[in-house]
Amino acid sequence: SVVFRSLNETRKIINAIVEEYGSPWAVNLEVASELGRSWSERGEIEKQNKQNQKKAQQDREKICQIMGWSAPDNVSGAMLERFRLGEQQGWQCLYTGKPILDKCAAVDPKNKQYEVDHIVPFSLILDNSLNNKALVLMDENQAKGQRTPLMYMRSAEQKNGYITRVNAMAQKHLISDRKRQYLLLADLKDSNLLKEWKTRNLNDTRYI
């Protein structure tokens, strides 16, 4: 309801501007986190966005090579997401460490051999970014359920191997600090991470 009201008010303002001055050349949309940024900081963000677009195009071409396609336009967002997770994880199931030998199956969203899992249940933190996702074997995803990886792993051997893989990715700067926190979250009860998420979203709502 807060977002709905915000959009309604924004629409009224734009309509008033159009009526007074004519249609604007452009409309810039800013999220709450951008409000305190300087022009130089925003310039850096824009530069990073262009680099991200270039990287996305390169990744699409690599996916085409895997799939045996000629047109990058056929690559969907879901395929791009799976490819990036595979690259990030060194093409192995993050939860078991088993190698992903069939990249074509791993990249294809229609193939159920591999699944993209929310590391921390999406219903708890509503984080749908790559920070909260892992490419894993379907059986492992089903076994994990609505838990964190460390909550569902039973053997010490699996836990130790998993922690070693996560720390190795962090040391190589393949994952963010936030993703590392998600991956190493031992319990969902009384988690500071979840409290931070609630506080952050309350602040965004206040900005709106």
Side-chain angles (χ1 to χ4, degrees), residues 126-167:
L126 301 180
D127 187 344
N128 199 39
S129 69
L130 288 185
N131 280 334
N132 194 33
K133 291 181 178 180
L135 183 63
V136 297
L137 289 162
M138 180 193 68
D139 292 344
E140 293 299 315
N141 188 20
Q142 300 301 317
K144 172 180 172 287
Q146 295 294 302
R147 296 175 289 181
T148 67
L150 286 177
M151 286 175 68
Y152 101 95
M153 292 179 184
R154 295 180 179 177
S155 70
E157 182 181 0
Q158 185 180 10
K159 283 186 179 181
N160 292 336
Y162 168 76
I163 292 171
T164 299
R165 287 190 294 277
V166 171
N167 286 332

Side-chain angles (χ1 to χ4, degrees), residues 194-207:
L194 302 186
K195 291 176 183 176
E196 287 174 12
W197 177 84
K198 291 176 183 177
T199 302
R200 188 167 64 252
N201 280 272
L202 282 173
N203 287 335
D204 283 351
T205 303
R206 290 191 188 100
Y207 273 121

Side-chain angles (χ1 to χ4, degrees), residues 83-154:
F83 172 79
R84 287 177 172 174
L85 289 171
E87 290 279 288
Q88 198 177 71
Q89 297 168 196
W91 293 103
Q92 57 184 337
C93 170
L94 187 56
Y95 296 165
T96 64
K98 293 180 180 178
I100 298 175
L101 300 176
D102 190 349
K103 293 183 181 180
C104 187
V107 168
D108 186 359
K110 296 178 182 178
N111 191 303
K112 301 303 179 184
Q113 184 179 352
Y114 296 95
E115 293 182 346
V116 175
D117 176 50
H118 285 103
I119 300 161
V120 180
F122 178 73
S123 58
L124 293 179
I125 60 172
L126 301 180
D127 187 344
N128 199 39
S129 69
L130 288 185
N131 280 334
N132 194 33
K133 291 181 178 180
L135 183 63
V136 297
L137 289 162
M138 180 193 68
D139 292 344
E140 293 299 315
N141 188 20
Q142 300 301 317
K144 172 180 172 287
Q146 295 294 302
R147 296 175 289 181
T148 67
L150 286 177
M151 286 175 68
Y152 101 95
M153 292 179 184
R154 295 180 179 177

Side-chain angles (χ1 to χ4, degrees), residues 2-66:
V2 174
V3 173
F4 182 75
R5 286 182 61 187
S6 319
L7 293 174
N8 260 344
E9 292 303 313
T10 303
R11 185 183 62 179
K12 290 177 185 176
I13 292 169
I14 292 175
N15 284 340
I17 291 172
V18 170
E19 186 177 346
E20 183 73 19
Y21 302 104
S23 297
W25 179 74
V27 177
N28 294 325
L29 302 179
E30 296 181 334
V31 296
S33 59
E34 293 177 330
L35 292 176
R37 298 187 189 279
S38 66
W39 285 110
S40 60
E41 288 175 320
R42 295 184 190 199
E44 285 298 317
I45 292 174
E46 185 176 353
K47 180 181 177 182
Q48 184 62 50
N49 286 338
K50 290 180 180 178
Q51 291 176 349
N52 290 342
Q53 290 172 2
K54 183 178 180 181
K55 177 69 165 56
Q57 183 59 29
Q58 292 172 344
D59 288 346
R60 286 189 178 93
E61 291 170 358
K62 290 177 182 177
I63 292 171
C64 282
Q65 292 176 357
I66 292 173

